[in-house]
Amino acid sequence: METVLITGASRGIGLELTRQFLHLGYNVISTYRNSASSELAALSSEGSLTLFNLEVTVSDSIAEFAHNISNVSIDILINNAGVIGPIEQALETIESADWLRTLAVNTIAPLLVSRSLIGNLKKSSNPRIITVSSQMGALNRESTGMYAYRSSKAALNKVMQVLAIELKEQGIVVCPVHPGWVKTDMGGPDAEISVSESAAGIVDLVRNLTMKQSGKFLTWQGEEHPW
Ligand SMILES: NC(=O)c1ccc[n+]([C@@H]2O[C@H](COP(=O)([O-])OP(=O)(O)OC[C@H]3O[C@@H](n4cnc5c(N)ncnc54)[C@H](OP(=O)(O)O)[C@@H]3O)[C@@H](O)[C@H]2O)c1
């Protein structure tokens, strides 16, 4: 069975992706920041789950994690960890330190984590990287405010497009994916879809992802999203 690696899995979409891949019989490696939530730890009894600490913005943490799993073949990497950014991110209130922190988590970390695991992905016969992005970063949508979050996801999309081109020759598929507006701590209770709907869509998408789709911005329903 294939191995899937999911970052930021203590709660929200990452936790549900862990649950659904385990139920499908995948070997799952999930990472948490600080300590594993009780919900994540409890999933260990439901299948082949290995948990690691990974703070995606700390290069030593990435290096230690990559070292610990250096012999493992990874078929699917899901860069899921992300933050909404500071409470104050309107034109009048956005501050650079908070904005930079948002970019570190949402934009830079997915590339550095992916880079550190290229050797693991190359051990797979069908390697795929998806990074959870957001329609809030799409340039075709005219909206206001949320400067830090929107810019972090817009830049993330470009980063993943470039990575897709660079990894194509090595047979590694790369796509940024919009997960829907999801009822999680980040999406809030008024969001449009449940976390299980979103995760089920992402699972289906990534299981069937092909090189033809590499470098495209996709949705949790498998459709192409305008950049
Ligand atoms: N919910 C939505 O409607 C929605 C819409 C579009 C895109 N997204 C994207 O979907 C992804 C998951 O979001 P979610 O709704 O599940 O959010 P969430 O419930 O807030 O969970 C975010 C996860 O990311 C982890 N994380 C944050 N910063 C990290 C860091 N520096 N290092 C390691 N892990 C870190 C968190 O760990 P802790 O538990 O330790 O904080 C948590 O497990 C994010 O990339 C988000 O931008 C969500």
Side-chain angles (χ1 to χ4, degrees):
M1 186 45 99
E2 291 190 325
T3 296
V4 56
L5 195 163
I6 303 161
T7 66
S10 258
R11 57 197 169 98
I13 297 169
L15 176 65
E16 184 60 21
L17 285 170
T18 301
R19 181 179 289 117
Q20 293 195 15
F21 274 111
L22 283 174
H23 287 178
L24 288 167
Y26 281 72
N27 300 311
V28 184
I29 299 171
S30 289
T31 74
Y32 57 86
R33 177 168 64 162
N34 306 321
S35 56
S37 64
S38 52
E39 292 97 325
L40 180 60
L43 291 179
S44 295
S45 63
E46 297 189 21
S48 169
L49 174 63
T50 316
L51 300 178
F52 286 95
N53 176 265
L54 175 62
E55 161 55 68
V56 297
T57 62
V58 174
S59 53
D60 284 353
S61 180
I62 295 176
E64 188 182 342
F65 172 61
H67 175 74
N68 283 334
I69 62 162
S70 59
N71 292 326
V72 177
S73 166
I74 295 172
D75 302 286
I76 300 169
L77 164 62
I78 303 183
N79 289 304
N80 165 75
V83 290
I84 193 73
I87 294 169
E88 299 294 347
Q89 46 179 306
L91 175 61
E92 300 76 14
T93 53
I94 185 83
E95 295 291 345
S96 86
D98 292 337
W99 194 342
L100 288 168
R101 171 83 191 144
T102 309
L103 291 168
V105 181
N106 290 356
T107 311
I108 299 169
L111 182 75
L112 299 188
V113 169
S114 300
R115 183 180 66 184
S116 76
L117 300 173
I118 287 174
N120 305 78
L121 288 154
K122 282 167 73 174
K123 293 180 199 288
S124 164
S125 57
N126 183 18
R128 287 145 282 167
I129 299 173
I130 66 161
T131 301
V132 185
S133 181
S134 172
Q135 65 181 9
M136 286 179 70
L139 300 182
N140 77 316
R141 287 169 63 91
E142 292 189 13
S143 327
T144 60
M146 301 296 288
Y147 280 91
Y149 188 72
R150 288 187 200 287
S151 62
S152 72
K153 294 296 190 179
L156 170 67
N157 285 351
K158 190 65 195 175
V159 166
M160 288 299 139
Q161 186 193 51
V162 175
L163 186 65
I165 295 165
E166 294 196 4
L167 295 186
K168 191 169 185 179
E169 274 194 8
Q170 299 178 56
I172 303 176
V173 176
V174 181
C175 292
V177 174
H178 169 58
W181 181 22
V182 192
K183 290 183 176 65
T184 61
D185 291 342
M186 186 186 292
D190 297 331
E192 285 169 353
I193 58 171
S194 68
V195 71
S196 59
E197 282 176 278
S198 172
I202 294 170
V203 168
D204 198 42
L205 168 75
V206 75
R207 292 180 84 192
N208 297 299
L209 206 57
T210 66
M211 187 49 87
K212 260 180 100 175
Q213 293 161 292
S214 196
K216 296 188 167 150
F217 181 23
L218 303 175
T219 73
W220 63 285
Q221 292 168 304
E223 292 153 359
E224 215 172 315
H225 197 296
W227 292 104

